[in-house]
Amino acid sequence: MPAMHFHLRWPDRSETRCYSPSLVIKDYLVPGSSYPLPEFLDRSREALHIASERVRAKFGYACSMAMDQLAQIEATAGRFDAQAEVEVLRFDEA
């Protein structure tokens, strides 16, 4: 199963390298695009849940790394106002 990383820029200009166990994240986020924080969270949740379920379908267990990544995204997002935007910088396929 191809894994990948996606890079984000938060409203405070900090950057984060995130993990997805599946390329499905490409269906939800577009490099060079910015998303309002609530929309970004919705897209990330859906994509990482699907990615985790793809791991379950293939290996018989959910991907804890995908869920840990989602928890980190949600924790970081909690520092910002709902009007803020998150920018998707790029994808790195493993």
Side-chain angles (χ1 to χ4, degrees), residues 4-5 10 24 28 34 38-39 42 48 51 68 72 76 78 81-82:
M4 67 177 302
H5 289 94
W10 296 95
V24 71
Y28 289 85
S34 294
E39 179 183 352
D42 287 345
L48 289 170
D68 289 346
Q72 290 175 346
T76 301
D81 184 86

Side-chain angles (χ1 to χ4, degrees), residues 49-91:
H49 280 288
I50 290 170
S52 180
E53 288 305 310
R54 286 183 178 181
V55 170
R56 183 190 310 275
K58 185 169 185 174
F59 298 107
Y61 51 86
C63 181
S64 62
M65 287 179 64
M67 295 300 91
D68 289 346
Q69 182 61 75
L70 180 56
Q72 290 175 346
I73 287 171
E74 290 174 333
T76 301
R79 301 187 337 230
F80 303 107
D81 184 86
Q83 304 304 317
E85 292 196 348
V86 179
E87 181 182 1
V88 179
L89 299 174
R90 68 183 180 281
F91 295 144

Side-chain angles (χ1 to χ4, degrees), residues 4-10 13-20 25-26 29-35 40 44 69 73 86-94:
M4 67 177 302
H5 289 94
F6 54 106
H7 298 259
L8 307 174
R9 181 175 293 134
W10 296 95
R13 308 301 291 164
S14 65
E15 296 182 10
T16 304
R17 180 177 182 243
C18 300
Y19 172 79
S20 172
I25 199 80
K26 289 180 163 186
L29 301 173
V30 177
S33 297
S34 294
Y35 300 91
F40 170 75
S44 296
Q69 182 61 75
I73 287 171
V86 179
E87 181 182 1
V88 179
L89 299 174
R90 68 183 180 281
F91 295 144
D92 295 332
E93 293 184 38

